[in-house]
Amino acid sequence: NRRWCLAACAALRWHWRERAKQRRQKTEAILALRYLNLAGVHRLMAPNRAQWADPVPNWVIMGNREKVEWLNSILQSVWPHIDVILSDIIEALVEPLLSETLKTSGVRGITLGFQEFNLGTTAPRVESIQVDDHDLDNMSLTCNVKWKGNPDIVFAVGGTAIYGGLSSLTVEIRDLVVSGNLQVDMSLMPAPPLVAGVRVMFTENPFLSYDVGVKVTPGLPPMRLDVVPGLNTLLKNLIGIILRD
């Protein structure tokens, strides 16, 4: 009987220790969730990536950042109209820079201009949004934005350095990806239209990835951009101005 009592006591002691260990682990896990961010959720869900298009459900709120699928639906619906407005504004701003950048680049014997310019049919996606409305006169929105776009950004490159001036070539931007944190600052006013001004900018240089395609007139031999000294760097700088600045 004494042995049975000792065995029962040992078993109860082990059971209590295990329960205490489980309670401690649960408490630590709950505390760790307080500091879990979106990147941490993606790492946790990595083994199931094949089953999830987006491993984070639409209703998940990460601290003071919120997913806004409703905003993405609206943005995609109105994107054709936004595209027309933004394309005209960007082209009007960048067109004068083309000749100015060409003059200061040191590249000789070429002409440069837009052949086509629009932002395509795919709207940027807002992955999450954070609102700072502590100031009564100003509101700031910080949006994590990702754009896998299909724009038509085509440069026409001509001049004596291109096939001796007999023909031109076109340079097209393909497979464009832009992502980063976009900050929208709004100055508020107590009377209609309620917003006195808006400023939009990236909080830091966004991630930028793209490919460049070169097309020549049928029947002419292919030409690489580095054949003309400085042309490749010039085009990269212009693409950065359009997509980043």
Side-chain angles (χ1 to χ4, degrees):
N1 291 337
R2 185 177 180 183
R3 290 181 178 178
W4 281 107
C5 288
L6 291 174
C9 290
L12 285 173
R13 186 178 180 183
W14 176 85
H15 176 69
W16 289 333
R17 283 183 175 179
E18 286 299 311
R19 289 197 61 185
K21 181 180 178 181
Q22 291 175 2
R23 286 196 297 268
R24 185 170 63 253
Q25 289 174 341
K26 288 182 180 179
T27 302
E28 291 173 352
I30 291 171
L31 291 174
L33 286 174
R34 296 175 57 186
Y35 305 101
L36 185 64
N37 56 19
L38 188 59
V41 173
H42 277 267
R43 285 196 297 271
L44 288 174
M45 298 298 297
N48 299 322
R49 275 291 176 89
Q51 304 174 17
W52 295 73
D54 184 351
V56 184
N58 297 337
W59 45 265
V60 171
I61 296 176
M62 308 303 297
N64 56 354
R65 286 182 173 266
E66 184 177 354
K67 298 197 77 175
V68 281
E69 285 303 312
W70 59 269
L71 180 58
N72 288 318
S73 298
I74 295 174
L75 188 58
Q76 185 60 53
S77 298
V78 301
W79 182 249
H81 307 288
I82 296 176
D83 171 37
V84 173
I85 297 172
L86 286 182
S87 295
D88 290 343
I89 293 174
I90 295 174
E91 188 171 2
L93 290 173
V94 174
E95 191 77 51
L97 292 176
L98 294 180
S99 57
E100 185 65 28
T101 305
L102 186 58
K103 289 179 182 178
T104 58
S105 67
V107 181
R108 298 291 180 261
I110 70 165
T111 59
L112 184 63
F114 284 120
Q115 180 169 306
E116 296 180 28
F117 188 89
N118 66 74
L119 298 178
T121 58
T122 303
R125 279 187 54 82
V126 180
E127 300 293 340
S128 63
I129 190 169
Q130 177 182 348
V131 181
D132 182 3
D133 55 357
H134 299 298
D135 188 344
L136 296 178
D137 297 324
N138 299 280
M139 177 180 291
S140 179
L141 307 177
T142 302
C143 309
N144 181 258
V145 178
K146 186 172 185 178
W147 183 34
K148 290 185 177 181
N150 59 342
D152 287 325
I153 303 177
V154 182
F155 296 99
V157 184
T160 55
I162 308 298
Y163 297 115
L166 299 176
S167 181
S168 62
L169 55 84
T170 58
V171 179
E172 179 183 4
I173 308 304
R174 300 172 178 169
D175 302 326
L176 174 66
V177 178
V178 182
S179 63
N181 289 320
L182 195 66
Q183 183 171 320
V184 182
D185 296 324
M186 293 180 286
S187 299
L188 307 179
M189 55 190 301
L194 302 180
V195 178
V198 178
R199 183 180 64 173
V200 180
M201 61 181 180
F202 281 105
T203 57
E204 56 189 15
N205 282 337
F207 170 79
L208 182 60
S209 174
Y210 60 89
D211 287 329
V212 175
V214 180
K215 294 182 179 180
V216 301
T217 303
L220 292 176
M223 173 176 282
R224 294 166 52 91
L225 294 179
D226 52 13
V227 170
V228 181
L231 177 58
N232 201 9
T233 301
L234 171 63
L235 288 173
K236 286 183 178 180
N237 291 338
L238 288 172
I239 293 167
I241 292 173
I242 296 170
L243 300 177
R244 181 180 285 128
D245 300 341

